[in-house]
Amino acid sequence: MPINFPGGVYPPNKKFTNKKYISELTPAAKVYIPVVQHVGKPAKICVKEGDYVKIGALLASADGAVSANIFSSVSGKVVGIENRQTSNGEVAHIVIENDFTDQTEFLPRLTNPTREEILKRIADCGIVGMGGAGFPTAAKLDVPKDDKIDTLIINGAECEPYITSDHRIMLEYPEQILKGAKYIATALNVSNIIIGVEDNKDDAIETLNKIINLKNYTDIKVVSLKTKYPQGAEKQLIYSLTKRVVPACELPFKVGVVVNNIHTALSVYYAVWEGQPLYRRVVTVSGGAVKNKGNYWVRLGTAYKDILNECKAVNLHENIKIIQDSIREKQAQIDKLSKSQSKQIKQLKSEIKNLKKELDYIKTAQCVMIVNGGPMMGEAAKSIEEAVTATTSSVLFLTRQEINNISPSQCINCRKCAVVCPMKLMPMFIDLACIAGDWENAKKYGAVDCILCGCCSYICPAKRDLVSSMKKSKRMIAKRGI
Amino acid sequence: MDKLIEKTSPFITSKFSTRRIMLDVIIALIPCIIAGVLFFGWGTLILVAVCSATAFISELLFTLIKNNKWNWEAVKNSSATDLSCIVTGILLALNLPASIIWAYDKEAMAFVPGSISFANIWMPMIGAVFAIVLVKMAFGGIGRNFANPALTARIFMVIAFGSVMGTVGTSNIIGLDAATSATWLSAGRDAAAVSSNWFNFLIGNKGAAAFGETSVIAILVGFIYLVIRKVIDPRLPLIIIGGVAVFAYLFDALPSGGSFVDMMLVVAGHILTGGLMLGAVFMATDYSSSPNTFLGSVIFGLGIALLVVLIRVFGSYPEGVSFAIVIMNIVVPLIDKYIYPRAFGRQKAVRGAK
C-alpha cells in the first residue's frame, strides 16, 4: 500500500531537469546578499563598505535565538549596503564585488564531534531549513527538554513540479546526506532516522539504500512515499511516515519528531566535516523561458538576471524589436512599389507573414514571471534584480503559456477545494468570509490552520484565488487577535 | 524584458473548469433524453430544446440588463456561457410530462400520444424563466441558489398548471407494448405489477409523470459517467436510494404484509418508478443546494428518503421526490452551519507508540 495522507492533488510533474548533473554556475561579478534569508529577526551587519571579505567570511551575525549568521559567497570588496525590494518587502543587502580569486576562510574540520559541538557548528555556519521555510536549524534542533524526540525525518519528498535539486543531491551526494543526517541525529540524541522520498524518484531511493547497505547504517531507513502534492509538507509528511498527527498551532517536536530537508542535511555535513558555512546551494533553474535548464551550485546572493545570463534564458525583447522593425520596413517597401510589380509584393507579403509567425512564437516563449520556489507555493519575484537566498530551491522563468491566466468566476460550491485540502479546511467558506470581512467565520472554517499549499486554488474550476484569501484572513485574524 | 506578472501562488492550475463540469452533466443527461425520445416520441426533444433555449436566453438577458452593457464582450462574459443554464433547462424539460407537447383531443377528453402541438409550449417557457430568473439569478446566480432551480420550477408548474402536469401517457416509437399508462405509484403500488413488468420498469417503457425519469438504465449510465468524471460524489445518491429502500420497507411493505418476495417487490417498485433515480442522481447532487460534508450528506439524503416515502405512502400526491428534495434543500444551510470538518490536527492528537 502506498504511504499516503488524506487530500492532496496531482499536478503535472514537469521535472525537466531530473537527468541534469549538478554543475557550478559561474559566479556573478556582483552579489547582493540579503540579511534576511530565514524566518526570524534580520541578522546584524558586521562589515562596512570597503572591507575585503573572503568566501565564508561573516557578514552579519545572528540577532537572538531565532536568527542566523550570513556569510560572504564570493571573495572581494564590499561596495555597499543598500535596501532593495524583495517579495518580502524591503531588506538590507550587502553588495560585494567579486574579484574571482575565490579565496576561502573556512572553519576547521570536526572529526569526532559531540552533541554540543555539532549544535554550535550549525549555529556558527548559519544553517537554515533549505526546503523553503528557512527556519534556523540550530533553533529547530534545540528542542525543549521535556519533549522527547524519538524520530528524525529527512524530507526528500520534493513534491512541487519542476524542482529537482533535492533529487539530484540524493543521487550525487548520497554519502554526504547520510553523514549529515547522522550529525543531526547526534545533535538530537535520536537513533531512528527516516528518509521519505516520493516514488517518482526511485533511483534516489536505490542510491541511498546502496550506501546504507555498504556502510551498514542500521538506524537509517528510506521510505518510498506516494507521489502526490503536498507530500513534502511537514505535517502531512509526519502523518504519512509515522501516522502521528501534529496538533494545530504546534511544532512537530510535540509528537516526538523533527523534520529536516535533504539539502539541510547536506549543508550540515559541509559545515561539520568541511567547515563550510552556508554560502552556496543547489538551485534548479527551469521553466519554458530558459534554454539551459539544469541544477546548479549557485552562490547565495546571485541576482536572477545573472542566472538568466548564464543559463541563456530566452529573453527575446530585443529580437522582438528587430523583427517588428523589419516588418515595418517591408510594409514600407510594399507601399512604395507600384501595383505592376505584383510578384515582388507577393514575395514581401509572404516574408511578412513568416516574420509575424516568428514573432508570435517568440512572444509565447518570453518570460513573464520569475518564481522563487515551485509553482505551487513559490513566490513571484517583483523584479529580475532579486537575489537567490538560502531558501531558493529553484528559480523558474515561466512563459505565458505555463502559468494560469484565466480570470476567476463565481464559486459554484462544488467543494472540490474542501476534498483536496490536506488540512481538512473549507476554503470556499473562508473565501466567502474573507470577501465579506467576516474574520470570525474565516477562523471557524480553519483559516489559521492553512499551510498555503495551494491545492484549493489548483483544483478550483472557477479559478478563484483562494490562497490570497487565506493569506489575507490569516493576516487579519492575527492582527485583530480573534 | 516586459513587466513581470505578480500574483499569489499557485501559478499553475488544473484543467477543471465550470464549463467543463456543466458539459459533463449535459453529456450524462443525453441517455435520459434518448430514452425520452424512444418511449414518448420526438416531441420530448422539442421540449428539451425549448426549455434550454429559454433558460439560456433568460440568463443572458438577466446579466445584460443587470450590468447594462450591450455589446459582444458583455455577451461573452455573461455567466450564461458557463452552460449551467442549459443544464437547468434540460433538467426542467426532463421533469415535464411528455403530454405537454401533445395535441388535446376535446372529444376523447385526452391527449393524443405522439402527436405534436405547440398549444401548451408557453408553459415550459414560463417554467424555465421562473427557474433561471427567480430561483437562480435573483439569489446571486450559480452557486448561490437555495434550492434546485429545475425542481422548484417543476413544483411551481405542478401547482400552476395542475391539469396538464398531472397527465401520464406513453407513446413509444420503437413499437414495444407499454407496461401501463398510469404510473405504478398512482395505481396502487402492488407487488404483482412489479414482478410482471420488471423489464419494462428497468428500461423505462412505462407511464411516467416526467419523461426524463422513465428509464432507470439511462439514468444509471449518466450516473456512472458523472462518477468517473468526478463531477459528483457517488455516496449521496446511494444514501438516498438506500434510505428509500429502508423506509419503503418499513412504511409500505411491512404494513401491507404479504410474503417476503412480495415485500421486496414493493421496495423495488419504489426504487424503480417515479422520479427517485433522476432526483437522487441529478437533482439532489446539485452543488449549491446540497451539504458540504459527508455527515451532512447523510442527514440530507436520509431526510429526502424519509420525506419521499412519507409523501408516497401517506400523502395526497402519488409522488413526492421533488417536494422532498426542495424541502431538504432549504434545510441545507442549517446543516452546514453546525456540521463542518475539524482541521487536521484539531482532532484528538495521536501520539504513536514508543
Side-chain angles (χ1 to χ4, degrees):
Chain A
M1 210 182 89
I3 293 174
N4 207 348
F5 63 95
V9 292
Y10 301 91
N13 229 338
K14 295 205 173 172
K15 307 260 190 195
F16 303 126
T17 50
N18 58 359
K19 298 270 190 298
K20 296 268 171 71
Y21 283 91
I22 301 172
S23 56
E24 180 92 24
L25 193 80
T26 317
K30 253 187 192 177
V31 291
Y32 309 85
I33 300 175
V35 294
V36 184
Q37 303 193 13
H38 50 264
V39 177
K41 270 187 160 177
K44 271 187 290 194
I45 299 170
C46 52
V47 288
K48 57 184 189 298
E49 206 178 320
D51 283 1
Y52 183 82
V53 289
K54 293 177 181 172
I55 293 176
L58 188 69
L59 296 179
S61 62
D63 185 8
V66 185
S67 187
N69 290 342
I70 307 283
F71 298 91
S72 174
S73 59
V74 293
S75 59
K77 215 167 78 180
V78 178
V79 292
I81 293 163
E82 50 187 74
N83 280 342
R84 293 163 69 94
Q85 264 314 322
T86 71
S87 37
N88 297 326
E90 209 161 84
V91 170
H93 285 61
I94 298 157
V95 187
I96 301 169
E97 209 170 57
N98 192 355
D99 66 0
F100 296 98
T101 54
D102 275 358
Q103 297 178 60
T104 57
E105 182 185 315
F106 292 156
L107 298 165
R109 169 176 298 181
L110 295 175
T111 38
N112 221 341
T114 62
R115 173 170 189 267
E116 284 70 29
E117 278 175 330
I118 294 173
L119 279 174
K120 188 172 179 306
R121 179 53 68 90
I122 288 172
D124 285 348
C125 287
I127 311 288
V128 297
M130 296 175 86
F135 194 78
T137 307
K140 195 182 218 172
L141 300 185
D142 189 17
V143 289
K145 283 226 166 60
D146 42 334
D147 285 297
K148 206 176 147 33
I149 307 296
D150 55 21
T151 308
L152 168 68
I153 294 177
I154 302 291
N155 183 354
E158 198 168 48
C159 50
E160 285 244 26
Y162 291 99
I163 308 180
T164 56
S165 51
D166 286 355
H167 184 189
R168 286 315 302 183
I169 292 171
M170 285 188 276
L171 286 175
E172 294 176 37
Y173 302 94
E175 258 186 271
Q176 287 89 328
I177 292 169
L178 295 174
K179 275 190 183 152
K182 282 198 144 261
Y183 288 137
I184 299 173
T186 313
L188 285 168
N189 200 11
V190 298
S191 57
N192 181 20
I193 305 171
I194 306 175
I195 303 179
V197 185
E198 275 188 340
D199 57 12
N200 61 354
K201 295 181 266 288
D202 276 338
D203 45 352
I205 298 173
E206 223 170 88
T207 313
L208 288 173
N209 272 331
K210 214 186 275 170
I211 303 290
I212 289 170
N213 288 338
L214 207 69
K215 301 261 176 178
N216 201 17
Y217 290 150
T218 46
D219 49 351
I220 304 181
K221 197 168 72 179
V222 183
V223 177
S224 159
L225 301 161
K226 191 179 179 194
T227 303
K228 183 179 179 184
Y229 179 85
Q231 187 67 265
E234 197 170 57
K235 290 179 179 184
Q236 276 61 38
L237 185 71
I238 293 171
Y239 180 80
S240 293
L241 289 172
T242 64
K243 299 289 169 222
R244 297 179 195 178
V245 177
V246 181
C249 308
E250 292 282 3
L251 290 170
F253 60 71
K254 278 277 164 205
V255 291
V257 180
V258 165
V259 182
N260 271 295
N261 184 262
I262 282 284
H263 203 316
T264 314
L266 182 64
S267 299
V268 168
Y269 165 81
Y270 277 127
V272 173
W273 193 252
E274 313 274 0
Q276 290 181 11
L278 190 58
Y279 77 97
R280 58 170 193 173
R281 66 159 296 151
V282 178
V283 175
T284 298
V285 179
S286 187
V290 185
K291 217 181 255 169
N292 299 341
K293 301 180 182 66
N295 307 291
Y296 301 96
W297 277 110
V298 179
R299 306 287 175 91
L300 302 186
T302 307
Y304 297 156
K305 61 178 180 196
D306 295 321
I307 296 180
L308 209 65
N309 284 339
E310 276 305 315
C311 299
K312 301 273 185 299
V314 199
N315 179 13
L316 296 156
H317 197 62
E318 282 178 7
N319 296 16
I320 289 176
K321 225 172 187 180
I322 293 166
I323 293 172
Q324 276 171 341
D325 285 346
S326 75
I327 288 175
R328 223 168 288 138
E329 215 172 89
K330 292 211 161 86
Q331 196 65 47
Q333 277 181 19
I334 290 175
D335 292 343
K336 265 184 214 161
L337 291 169
S338 60
K339 275 180 187 163
S340 56
Q341 293 157 302
S342 61
K343 206 175 173 187
Q344 271 164 295
I345 292 177
K346 215 175 178 181
Q347 199 194 335
L348 281 169
K349 273 190 177 166
S350 76
E351 274 172 25
I352 289 178
K353 207 174 163 188
N354 285 339
L355 282 172
K356 278 188 175 161
K357 256 189 203 165
E358 205 178 320
L359 197 65
D360 284 345
Y361 170 73
I362 287 174
K363 273 185 178 164
T364 59
Q366 180 150 25
C367 171
V368 295
M369 183 185 262
I370 301 175
V371 180
N372 172 353
M376 295 295 284
M377 278 189 83
E379 266 165 357
K382 282 200 166 58
S383 81
I384 198 157
E385 304 284 331
E386 282 184 34
V388 170
T389 71
T391 55
T392 309
S393 51
S394 78
V395 179
L396 305 178
F397 298 90
L398 301 177
T399 62
R400 198 170 284 282
Q401 284 171 323
E402 285 174 289
I403 59 170
N404 154 40
N405 46 13
I406 306 162
S407 50
S409 56
Q410 196 164 326
C411 170
I412 60 169
N413 226 328
C414 66
R415 30 187 186 278
K416 285 196 192 307
C417 51
V419 171
V420 300
C421 182
M423 296 303 288
K424 293 187 191 157
L425 313 179
M426 296 227 128
M428 71 283 202
F429 284 165
I430 300 171
D431 186 35
L432 279 181
C434 179
I435 291 165
D438 180 359
W439 310 118
E440 261 142 51
N441 251 334
K443 194 181 177 188
K444 173 183 156 186
Y445 292 114
V448 273
D449 292 310
C450 178
I451 57 170
L452 303 175
C453 65
C455 288
C456 47
S457 291
Y458 174 79
I459 206 81
C460 183
K463 310 295 172 208
R464 295 193 67 75
D465 200 352
L466 296 160
V467 171
S468 52
S469 283
M470 301 285 161
K471 280 186 178 167
K472 195 178 171 195
S473 303
K474 275 171 106 99
R475 208 168 52 231
M476 292 308 287
I477 290 167
K479 202 172 149 193
R480 307 226 168 156
I482 292 163
Chain B
M1 169 165 290
D2 289 355
K3 208 178 167 329
L4 294 173
I5 298 173
E6 285 176 39
K7 66 194 285 281
T8 355
S9 59
F11 310 111
I12 53 173
T13 129
S14 61
K15 289 196 177 75
F16 270 119
S17 72
T18 306
R19 193 175 306 174
R20 178 72 238 182
I21 289 174
M22 294 305 158
L23 201 62
D24 273 339
V25 179
I26 292 172
I27 291 168
L29 284 169
I30 286 173
C32 294
I33 299 172
I34 292 172
V37 171
L38 289 181
F39 299 117
F40 293 92
W42 292 102
T44 52
L45 210 55
I46 296 172
L47 274 182
V48 170
V50 166
C51 283
S52 16
T54 316
F56 181 79
I57 290 166
S58 45
E59 178 156 347
L60 185 61
L61 283 178
F62 187 98
T63 51
L64 290 181
I65 292 168
K66 193 178 137 219
N67 300 329
N68 200 12
K69 273 188 196 144
W70 299 87
N71 50 31
W72 183 238
E73 202 58 25
V75 171
K76 271 201 285 188
N77 289 337
S78 161
S79 64
T81 53
D82 68 17
L83 300 180
S84 63
C85 52
I86 306 278
V87 171
T88 302
I90 295 175
L91 282 177
L92 175 65
L94 294 178
N95 269 292
L96 298 176
S99 57
I100 227 167
I101 194 119
W102 293 345
Y104 190 70
D105 188 342
K106 277 184 184 152
E107 282 169 24
M109 302 273 278
F111 287 99
V112 184
S115 62
I116 290 177
S117 151
F118 290 98
N120 286 335
I121 203 73
W122 53 275
M123 292 182 187
M125 287 167 89
I126 285 185
V129 172
F130 180 90
I132 294 294
V133 174
L134 278 178
V135 187
K136 184 181 169 196
M137 298 312 286
F139 285 87
I142 186 167
R144 303 279 170 83
N145 47 300
F146 69 98
N148 188 314
L151 270 190
T152 320
R154 178 197 144 90
I155 291 172
F156 159 73
M157 290 175 75
V158 165
I159 295 164
F161 318 121
S163 59
V164 179
M165 289 296 288
T167 55
V168 170
T170 60
S171 154
N172 69 61
I173 59 172
I174 49 175
L176 281 173
D177 282 337
T180 60
S181 65
T183 67
W184 180 80
L185 288 165
S186 60
R189 307 193 299 270
D190 67 312
V194 182
S195 65
S196 58
N197 283 312
W198 64 270
F199 183 68
N200 281 332
F201 276 20
L202 266 184
I203 61 165
N205 189 21
K206 64 185 187 233
F211 74 82
E213 71 194 27
T214 188
S215 173
V216 175
I217 302 268
I219 296 167
L220 282 180
V221 170
F223 173 66
I224 291 166
Y225 179 78
L226 287 183
V227 171
I228 290 173
R229 296 288 299 180
K230 293 186 179 159
V231 174
I232 61 167
D233 185 345
R235 294 177 294 184
L236 178 57
L238 296 178
I239 290 167
I240 296 174
I241 292 165
V244 166
V246 171
F247 292 127
Y249 178 75
L250 289 178
F251 295 125
D252 200 12
L254 215 52
S256 56
S259 68
F260 180 74
V261 175
D262 281 353
M263 282 200 247
M264 283 300 116
L265 284 170
V266 171
V267 170
H270 270 282
I271 292 171
L272 296 181
T273 64
L276 178 67
M277 283 292 204
L278 188 71
V281 174
F282 291 105
M283 306 292 189
T285 52
D286 175 34
Y287 284 148
S288 57
S289 55
S290 58
N292 292 311
T293 51
F294 176 63
L295 187 60
S297 299
V298 173
I299 298 170
F300 176 72
L302 293 181
I304 290 173
L306 182 63
L307 286 171
V308 166
V309 175
L310 289 183
I311 294 171
R312 280 179 180 180
V313 177
F314 303 109
S316 60
Y317 278 102
E319 166 65 312
V321 172
S322 32
F323 292 104
I325 292 177
V326 171
I327 289 169
M328 288 311 288
N329 279 166
I330 299 168
V331 184
V332 164
L334 200 66
I335 297 176
D336 275 347
K337 187 168 180 199
Y338 292 105
I339 297 175
Y340 55 91
R342 294 267 169 266
F344 185 75
R346 293 250 175 222
Q347 313 96 317
K348 222 179 105 201
V350 183
R351 195 177 170 130
K354 283 214 176 168

PDB file of all heavy atoms in Angstrom, chain B residues 88-102:
ATOM      1  N   THR B  88     -29.861  23.399 -16.315  1.00  0.00           N
ATOM      2  CA  THR B  88     -31.153  23.648 -15.674  1.00  0.00           C
ATOM      3  C   THR B  88     -32.291  23.446 -16.673  1.00  0.00           C
ATOM      4  O   THR B  88     -33.300  22.814 -16.354  1.00  0.00           O
ATOM      5  CB  THR B  88     -31.184  25.084 -15.119  1.00  0.00           C
ATOM      6  OG1 THR B  88     -30.118  25.232 -14.204  1.00  0.00           O
ATOM      7  CG2 THR B  88     -32.487  25.374 -14.427  1.00  0.00           C
ATOM      8  N   GLY B  89     -32.113  23.963 -17.891  1.00  0.00           N
ATOM      9  CA  GLY B  89     -33.157  23.833 -18.909  1.00  0.00           C
ATOM     10  C   GLY B  89     -33.451  22.374 -19.232  1.00  0.00           C
ATOM     11  O   GLY B  89     -34.610  21.953 -19.268  1.00  0.00           O
ATOM     12  N   ILE B  90     -32.397  21.590 -19.436  1.00  0.00           N
ATOM     13  CA  ILE B  90     -32.602  20.173 -19.770  1.00  0.00           C
ATOM     14  C   ILE B  90     -33.262  19.451 -18.605  1.00  0.00           C
ATOM     15  O   ILE B  90     -34.203  18.675 -18.786  1.00  0.00           O
ATOM     16  CB  ILE B  90     -31.257  19.506 -20.135  1.00  0.00           C
ATOM     17  CG1 ILE B  90     -30.686  20.118 -21.402  1.00  0.00           C
ATOM     18  CG2 ILE B  90     -31.458  18.011 -20.330  1.00  0.00           C
ATOM     19  CD1 ILE B  90     -29.320  19.607 -21.764  1.00  0.00           C
ATOM     20  N   LEU B  91     -32.791  19.747 -17.387  1.00  0.00           N
ATOM     21  CA  LEU B  91     -33.370  19.070 -16.214  1.00  0.00           C
ATOM     22  C   LEU B  91     -34.841  19.424 -16.074  1.00  0.00           C
ATOM     23  O   LEU B  91     -35.668  18.567 -15.742  1.00  0.00           O
ATOM     24  CB  LEU B  91     -32.607  19.456 -14.944  1.00  0.00           C
ATOM     25  CG  LEU B  91     -31.285  18.752 -14.729  1.00  0.00           C
ATOM     26  CD1 LEU B  91     -30.590  19.279 -13.488  1.00  0.00           C
ATOM     27  CD2 LEU B  91     -31.482  17.258 -14.604  1.00  0.00           C
ATOM     28  N   LEU B  92     -35.181  20.677 -16.324  1.00  0.00           N
ATOM     29  CA  LEU B  92     -36.595  21.076 -16.245  1.00  0.00           C
ATOM     30  C   LEU B  92     -37.401  20.302 -17.281  1.00  0.00           C
ATOM     31  O   LEU B  92     -38.457  19.741 -16.968  1.00  0.00           O
ATOM     32  CB  LEU B  92     -36.736  22.579 -16.461  1.00  0.00           C
ATOM     33  CG  LEU B  92     -38.180  23.075 -16.511  1.00  0.00           C
ATOM     34  CD1 LEU B  92     -38.865  22.866 -15.168  1.00  0.00           C
ATOM     35  CD2 LEU B  92     -38.258  24.535 -16.899  1.00  0.00           C
ATOM     36  N   ALA B  93     -36.895  20.231 -18.510  1.00  0.00           N
ATOM     37  CA  ALA B  93     -37.612  19.505 -19.564  1.00  0.00           C
ATOM     38  C   ALA B  93     -37.812  18.054 -19.167  1.00  0.00           C
ATOM     39  O   ALA B  93     -38.896  17.495 -19.319  1.00  0.00           O
ATOM     40  CB  ALA B  93     -36.841  19.607 -20.875  1.00  0.00           C
ATOM     41  N   LEU B  94     -36.759  17.434 -18.620  1.00  0.00           N
ATOM     42  CA  LEU B  94     -36.861  16.026 -18.222  1.00  0.00           C
ATOM     43  C   LEU B  94     -37.881  15.836 -17.115  1.00  0.00           C
ATOM     44  O   LEU B  94     -38.363  14.728 -16.897  1.00  0.00           O
ATOM     45  CB  LEU B  94     -35.496  15.503 -17.764  1.00  0.00           C
ATOM     46  CG  LEU B  94     -34.404  15.409 -18.821  1.00  0.00           C
ATOM     47  CD1 LEU B  94     -33.114  14.930 -18.199  1.00  0.00           C
ATOM     48  CD2 LEU B  94     -34.814  14.481 -19.938  1.00  0.00           C
ATOM     49  N   ASN B  95     -38.207  16.900 -16.399  1.00  0.00           N
ATOM     50  CA  ASN B  95     -39.162  16.807 -15.308  1.00  0.00           C
ATOM     51  C   ASN B  95     -40.583  17.128 -15.738  1.00  0.00           C
ATOM     52  O   ASN B  95     -41.460  17.255 -14.892  1.00  0.00           O
ATOM     53  CB  ASN B  95     -38.758  17.742 -14.175  1.00  0.00           C
ATOM     54  CG  ASN B  95     -37.866  17.034 -13.193  1.00  0.00           C
ATOM     55  OD1 ASN B  95     -38.307  16.140 -12.501  1.00  0.00           O
ATOM     56  ND2 ASN B  95     -36.598  17.392 -13.173  1.00  0.00           N
ATOM     57  N   LEU B  96     -40.785  17.304 -17.046  1.00  0.00           N
ATOM     58  CA  LEU B  96     -42.134  17.629 -17.522  1.00  0.00           C
ATOM     59  C   LEU B  96     -42.785  16.382 -18.112  1.00  0.00           C
ATOM     60  O   LEU B  96     -42.095  15.504 -18.629  1.00  0.00           O
ATOM     61  CB  LEU B  96     -42.047  18.715 -18.598  1.00  0.00           C
ATOM     62  CG  LEU B  96     -41.469  20.048 -18.146  1.00  0.00           C
ATOM     63  CD1 LEU B  96     -41.345  20.989 -19.329  1.00  0.00           C
ATOM     64  CD2 LEU B  96     -42.305  20.658 -17.050  1.00  0.00           C
ATOM     65  N   PRO B  97     -44.111  16.305 -18.080  1.00  0.00           N
ATOM     66  CA  PRO B  97     -44.779  15.196 -18.760  1.00  0.00           C
ATOM     67  C   PRO B  97     -44.694  15.418 -20.269  1.00  0.00           C
ATOM     68  O   PRO B  97     -44.777  16.549 -20.747  1.00  0.00           O
ATOM     69  CB  PRO B  97     -46.220  15.297 -18.268  1.00  0.00           C
ATOM     70  CG  PRO B  97     -46.377  16.713 -17.872  1.00  0.00           C
ATOM     71  CD  PRO B  97     -45.044  17.189 -17.387  1.00  0.00           C
ATOM     72  N   ALA B  98     -44.526  14.323 -21.006  1.00  0.00           N
ATOM     73  CA  ALA B  98     -44.407  14.444 -22.463  1.00  0.00           C
ATOM     74  C   ALA B  98     -45.686  15.029 -23.057  1.00  0.00           C
ATOM     75  O   ALA B  98     -45.671  15.639 -24.120  1.00  0.00           O
ATOM     76  CB  ALA B  98     -44.102  13.083 -23.072  1.00  0.00           C
ATOM     77  N   SER B  99     -46.798  14.851 -22.335  1.00  0.00           N
ATOM     78  CA  SER B  99     -48.087  15.269 -22.896  1.00  0.00           C
ATOM     79  C   SER B  99     -48.191  16.778 -23.061  1.00  0.00           C
ATOM     80  O   SER B  99     -49.105  17.264 -23.718  1.00  0.00           O
ATOM     81  CB  SER B  99     -49.206  14.769 -21.996  1.00  0.00           C
ATOM     82  OG  SER B  99     -49.022  15.254 -20.690  1.00  0.00           O
ATOM     83  N   ILE B 100     -47.264  17.529 -22.482  1.00  0.00           N
ATOM     84  CA  ILE B 100     -47.329  18.982 -22.594  1.00  0.00           C
ATOM     85  C   ILE B 100     -47.194  19.412 -24.053  1.00  0.00           C
ATOM     86  O   ILE B 100     -47.678  20.470 -24.453  1.00  0.00           O
ATOM     87  CB  ILE B 100     -46.234  19.613 -21.694  1.00  0.00           C
ATOM     88  CG1 ILE B 100     -46.826  20.758 -20.871  1.00  0.00           C
ATOM     89  CG2 ILE B 100     -45.064  20.117 -22.485  1.00  0.00           C
ATOM     90  CD1 ILE B 100     -45.954  21.229 -19.755  1.00  0.00           C
ATOM     91  N   ILE B 101     -46.546  18.584 -24.864  1.00  0.00           N
ATOM     92  CA  ILE B 101     -46.367  18.941 -26.272  1.00  0.00           C
ATOM     93  C   ILE B 101     -47.334  18.155 -27.185  1.00  0.00           C
ATOM     94  O   ILE B 101     -47.273  18.258 -28.389  1.00  0.00           O
ATOM     95  CB  ILE B 101     -44.885  18.722 -26.675  1.00  0.00           C
ATOM     96  CG1 ILE B 101     -44.547  19.398 -28.015  1.00  0.00           C
ATOM     97  CG2 ILE B 101     -44.537  17.260 -26.779  1.00  0.00           C
ATOM     98  CD1 ILE B 101     -43.496  20.417 -27.902  1.00  0.00           C
ATOM     99  N   TRP B 102     -48.245  17.370 -26.572  1.00  0.00           N
ATOM    100  CA  TRP B 102     -49.179  16.585 -27.377  1.00  0.00           C
ATOM    101  C   TRP B 102     -50.454  17.389 -27.628  1.00  0.00           C
ATOM    102  O   TRP B 102     -50.843  18.235 -26.821  1.00  0.00           O
ATOM    103  CB  TRP B 102     -49.530  15.269 -26.684  1.00  0.00           C
ATOM    104  CG  TRP B 102     -48.370  14.324 -26.592  1.00  0.00           C
ATOM    105  CD1 TRP B 102     -47.210  14.402 -27.284  1.00  0.00           C
ATOM    106  CD2 TRP B 102     -48.273  13.188 -25.753  1.00  0.00           C
ATOM    107  NE1 TRP B 102     -46.367  13.386 -26.934  1.00  0.00           N
ATOM    108  CE2 TRP B 102     -47.002  12.611 -25.990  1.00  0.00           C
ATOM    109  CE3 TRP B 102     -49.106  12.569 -24.825  1.00  0.00           C
ATOM    110  CZ2 TRP B 102     -46.569  11.466 -25.346  1.00  0.00           C
ATOM    111  CZ3 TRP B 102     -48.688  11.437 -24.191  1.00  0.00           C
ATOM    112  CH2 TRP B 102     -47.411  10.888 -24.442  1.00  0.00           C
TER     113      TRP B 102
END
